[in-house]
Amino acid sequence: MRLPKAGTIEIVPSILDADFARLADELAVIEQAGIRMVHLDVMDGHFVPNITIGPPVIAKLREHSNLVFDSHLMISEPVKYAEAFAKAGANHITFHIEVVEKPKELIDKLHDLGCTAGICLNPETPVENIKAVAPLCDMVLVMTVHPGFGGQEFMLEAAKKVAEVRRIVGPGVRIEVDGGINTETIPKVISYGADTLVVGHAIFAEPDRVAAINAIRAAIG
Ligand code: DX5
Ligand code: ZN
């Protein structure tokens, strides 16, 4: 399981609105529908005001799923926990620039652990802060809401940063957007240069996940 090379548009369902008591089944449904990656939102109650899952849950899910595990670490100490997430079976690990002083060292460490590396910036964080290291990553994650909760309203100004990131990284690095991504906002983020679309509420808050995925595919065109 490896992050697909840049050049395709990927829908990446976020588990935040899924049924946490039936996570393996939820993953099986999206995998059956042809999805290749799942976005695992990890929250520590410190970097963000919410708590979700950690390595033990990811390790158990790994036994049930062939999806690429795209782990979004919304935690204050990603350096400390990177290895535990890699060992649990995360394939791609994204950390927040806001809490890492030496991002190049962490990117190298993630690669050494056999993972692809992602860097993320919050809506208020300038692109300038990731300029030097973004090209070293496999994917850049641009938050289009303040991290912490699913189902929030899309922030257009934050999404516009995607175009700036694209100019910096060129075509070979994926750009992921996360927060308020749905059939209405997808054309905008694609026009800015995003190719990896995290979708939480618009899939897992719908009773028919497959129909929701197909509606999103139609919006991509
Ligand atoms: C927000 C998370 C997102 C979230 C997106 O803190 O990082 O991945 O689940 O959910 P929606 O698509 O509902 O905005
Ligand atoms: Zn996320």
Side-chain angles (χ1 to χ4, degrees):
M1 283 79 75
R2 196 87 189 145
L3 181 73
K5 274 197 184 134
T8 57
I9 303 261
E10 298 292 329
I11 301 166
V12 190
S14 150
I15 59 162
L16 211 50
D17 266 304
D19 182 344
F20 272 70
R22 297 176 46 254
L23 269 184
D25 296 342
E26 295 274 42
L27 297 200
V29 168
I30 61 170
E31 195 173 340
Q32 274 285 311
I35 292 290
R36 299 206 275 181
M37 297 166 65
V38 64
H39 186 82
L40 304 174
D41 281 306
V42 176
M43 303 186 184
D44 65 352
H46 188 260
F47 179 68
V48 288
N50 199 0
I51 300 176
T52 54
I53 62 162
V57 176
I58 293 177
K60 283 292 170 192
L61 286 174
R62 187 72 287 169
E63 294 172 16
H64 297 273
S65 176
N66 291 313
L67 291 165
V68 175
F69 283 178
D70 164 25
S71 309
H72 178 191
L73 303 189
M74 287 166 274
I75 66 177
S76 297
E77 295 191 81
V79 175
K80 182 173 173 184
Y81 294 102
E83 189 171 351
F85 282 97
K87 286 200 169 136
N91 306 106
H92 178 81
I93 297 183
T94 291
F95 64 89
H96 273 258
I97 186 67
E98 295 85 6
V99 288
V100 176
E101 273 174 34
K102 295 177 178 164
K104 184 183 181 303
E105 284 183 16
L106 183 49
I107 293 163
D108 289 344
K109 180 175 180 168
L110 293 172
H111 286 149
D112 288 346
L113 288 166
C115 296
T116 48
I119 199 160
C120 180
L121 64 171
N122 276 340
E124 66 278 6
T125 303
V127 172
E128 182 64 28
N129 294 17
I130 60 160
K131 204 173 171 185
V133 289
L136 309 174
C137 295
D138 305 277
M139 183 154 79
V140 174
L141 172 52
V142 175
M143 288 308 299
T144 44
V145 297
H146 292 292
F149 300 92
Q152 301 184 78
E153 199 175 329
F154 177 75
M155 297 168 71
L156 183 64
E157 286 311 308
K160 286 180 181 167
K161 290 193 290 187
V162 168
E164 216 180 315
V165 175
R166 184 56 80 199
R167 279 195 291 278
I168 293 167
V169 299
V173 173
R174 284 191 170 274
I175 302 181
E176 185 174 42
V177 281
D178 186 5
I181 304 300
N182 55 37
T183 52
E184 261 175 53
T185 55
I186 279 172
K188 285 183 200 131
V189 294
I190 290 180
S191 76
Y192 298 145
D195 53 18
T196 313
L197 313 170
V198 176
V199 185
H201 202 73
I203 292 175
F204 286 115
E206 295 295 324
D208 186 341
R209 278 80 160 119
V210 178
I213 289 167
N214 287 334
I216 289 159
R217 287 190 174 123
I220 293 169

